[in-house]
């Protein structure tokens, strides 16, 4: 039985597991301290988030004619965009990628934090900070439904990859074989 015409294409959305637990990768990951993810447990790492949010708020507020509702929305969206790129888009170790033999090349910073353990104090802080900023921005936008929808959608986009069910999973839209999402660590 021969089917004429175009074959069925792949799904629009695919979920693909990344990173392995092979003995070589485990040994490479444990050979040296992962400086890429250890900074989130340092003393000033938690304080830097509110400080950067306040600095961003001040920088946006100095723009002439800026209203508080737009200012808080811009600060919220900027923080969420930067944190999404930093924690969920870039993979590997951007600084000194050769020290672990490529063991972290497929993992995002979020997956590297605390060796992949879920619900550690650092990860709880990194989950609560965008939620708190969303609540603050929602309050100062006077619960405007349009700004609420924009801020809430951006919050969901940032919180969704933090779910434990998506650890070492990539959701790809219109996936093509050989194409990788995210910015891979450059090979030297």
């Amino acid at each position: 039985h021969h089917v004429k015409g175009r074959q069925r294409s792949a799904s629009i959305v695919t979920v693909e597991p990344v990173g392995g637990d092979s003995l070589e990768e485990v040994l490479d990951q444990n050979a040296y301290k992962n400086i890429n993810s250890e900074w989130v447990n340092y003393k000033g790492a938690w304080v830097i988030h509110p400080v950067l949010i306040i600095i961003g708020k001040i920088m946006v507020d100095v723009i002439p004619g800026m209203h508080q509702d737009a200012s808080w929305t811009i600060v919220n969206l900027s923080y969420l965009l930067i944190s999404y790129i930093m924690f969920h888009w870039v993979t590997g170790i951007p600084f000194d990628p050769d020290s672990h033999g490529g063991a972290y090349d497929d993992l995002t910073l979020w997956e590297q934090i605390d060796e992949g353990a879920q619900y550690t104090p650092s990860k709880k802080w990194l989950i609560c900070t965008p939620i708190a900023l969303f609540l603050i921005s929602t309050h100062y936008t006077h619960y405007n439904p349009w700004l609420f929808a924009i801020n809430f959608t951006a919050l969901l986009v940032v919180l969704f990859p933090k779910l434990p069910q998506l650890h070492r999973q990539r959701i790809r839209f219109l996936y093509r074989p050989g194409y990788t999402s995210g910015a891979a660590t450059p090979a030297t």
Side-chain angles (χ1 to χ4, degrees), residues 54-173:
I54 291 169
I55 290 171
K57 177 74 170 111
I58 292 169
M59 289 174 55
V60 172
D61 280 344
V62 298
I63 299 172
M66 182 61 65
H67 296 284
Q68 285 300 308
D69 52 354
S71 172
W72 278 106
T73 300
I74 291 169
V75 169
N76 184 40
L77 295 177
S78 299
Y79 176 80
L80 293 176
L81 176 68
I82 291 168
S83 66
Y84 180 82
I85 291 170
M86 187 169 142
F87 289 108
H88 304 292
W89 187 264
V90 177
T91 58
I93 300 177
F95 314 105
D96 195 22
D98 295 329
S99 65
H100 290 279
Y104 293 106
D105 285 351
D106 291 333
L107 302 179
T108 63
L109 177 56
W110 184 261
E111 294 164 339
Q112 295 175 35
I113 294 174
D114 297 327
E115 299 174 7
Q118 301 297 322
Y119 302 120
T120 61
S122 297
K123 285 190 174 183
K124 288 178 184 177
W125 171 254
L126 292 170
I127 289 171
C128 290
T129 302
I131 293 171
L133 182 58
F134 164 75
L135 294 173
I136 292 168
S137 66
T138 300
H139 174 74
Y140 283 107
T141 57
H142 307 290
Y143 305 97
N144 179 316
W146 292 105
L147 296 178
F148 177 86
I150 292 169
N151 287 323
F152 187 68
T153 302
L155 177 68
L156 290 180
V157 167
V158 170
L159 290 182
F160 193 68
K162 290 176 170 45
L163 293 173
Q165 293 83 359
L166 294 176
H167 183 70
R168 292 188 173 197
Q169 302 287 322
R170 297 292 178 272
I171 297 175
R172 302 176 195 253
F173 296 96

Side-chain angles (χ1 to χ4, degrees), residues 14-29:
T14 59
V15 178
E16 178 184 39
V18 296
D21 291 326
S22 68
L23 179 61
E24 292 82 14
E25 285 192 10
V26 171
L27 289 174
D28 286 341
Q29 289 174 357

